[in-house]
Amino acid sequence: MKSKLLKAVALAATMSMAAIAAQAQDIKIGYVNSERVLRESNLAKAAQAKLEAEFGKREKDLKDLEGRLRGAAEKLEKDAPTLAETERNRRQRDLIEQERDLQRKRREWQEDLTQRKQEELSAVVERANRIIKQIFDAEKYDLILQDAIHFSPRVDITKKVIDALNAQK
């Protein structure tokens, strides 16, 4: 009795698996590597160039200020033995104040850069998602995944998305 029941369950399971496998062959799946789209598309490269142009001067100014501050600190260290204590203390306070100012400016620059980068990348992602939706509809995909851990090159449509983004103006 148990053996007949086990055989019936095994037969039902086998038939279910066969039906699922047959259905699975009809499913069309695609994969898009978002990181690659954000790295290789012309739109993303243009956004990166725009950010570099927008924030490059501020970054250079910060590096120059840092260099001047480092030079002043080295000069103070060199001159410290010959300076009067009040003058040495005053210069140390000035350096500390300049260092705080530099750190504040660097933080502001980083926050502004991060915010603008988010804005630019959001625009690229939005356009990429529209392209992905167009491909999904036009080619009748059942499922398109982004950022999978493992995928087959057979389902990778990243190049198609990048090419479509690059073709847009």
Side-chain angles (χ1 to χ4, degrees), residues 6-118:
L6 285 176
K7 285 181 183 177
V9 169
L11 179 63
T14 303
M15 291 175 63
S16 296
M17 293 302 281
I20 289 172
Q23 270 187 328
Q25 290 175 354
D26 295 340
I27 295 176
K28 188 171 181 181
I29 297 174
Y31 164 74
V32 177
N33 183 330
S34 299
E35 180 184 323
R36 192 169 143 214
V37 170
L38 293 176
R39 190 179 58 239
E40 296 178 14
S41 70
N42 291 342
L43 191 60
K45 290 176 184 176
Q48 184 64 34
K50 184 177 177 182
L51 289 171
E52 287 172 8
E54 187 175 331
F55 288 92
K57 184 184 180 324
R58 275 176 67 186
E59 182 179 22
K60 183 186 177 307
D61 291 346
L62 286 171
K63 286 181 180 178
D64 291 345
L65 184 59
E66 185 177 350
R68 287 194 306 271
L69 188 58
R70 191 178 1 264
E74 290 170 359
K75 182 172 177 13
L76 174 61
E77 190 175 314
K78 185 178 119 187
D79 295 346
T82 61
L83 291 174
E85 186 175 342
T86 56
E87 179 64 14
R88 187 174 58 242
N89 289 340
R90 184 188 65 74
R91 287 170 107 183
Q92 285 176 336
R93 280 192 308 273
D94 286 348
L95 280 175
I96 290 170
E97 187 176 315
Q98 289 174 13
E99 176 67 26
R100 282 186 193 137
D101 187 47
L102 173 66
Q103 294 304 323
R104 179 186 53 77
K105 286 179 180 179
R106 188 174 299 283
R107 242 187 341 272
E108 288 173 356
W109 173 81
Q110 187 63 50
E111 288 170 2
D112 291 347
L113 176 62
T114 301
Q115 180 181 355
R116 285 289 294 125
K117 189 180 280 189
Q118 246 347 78

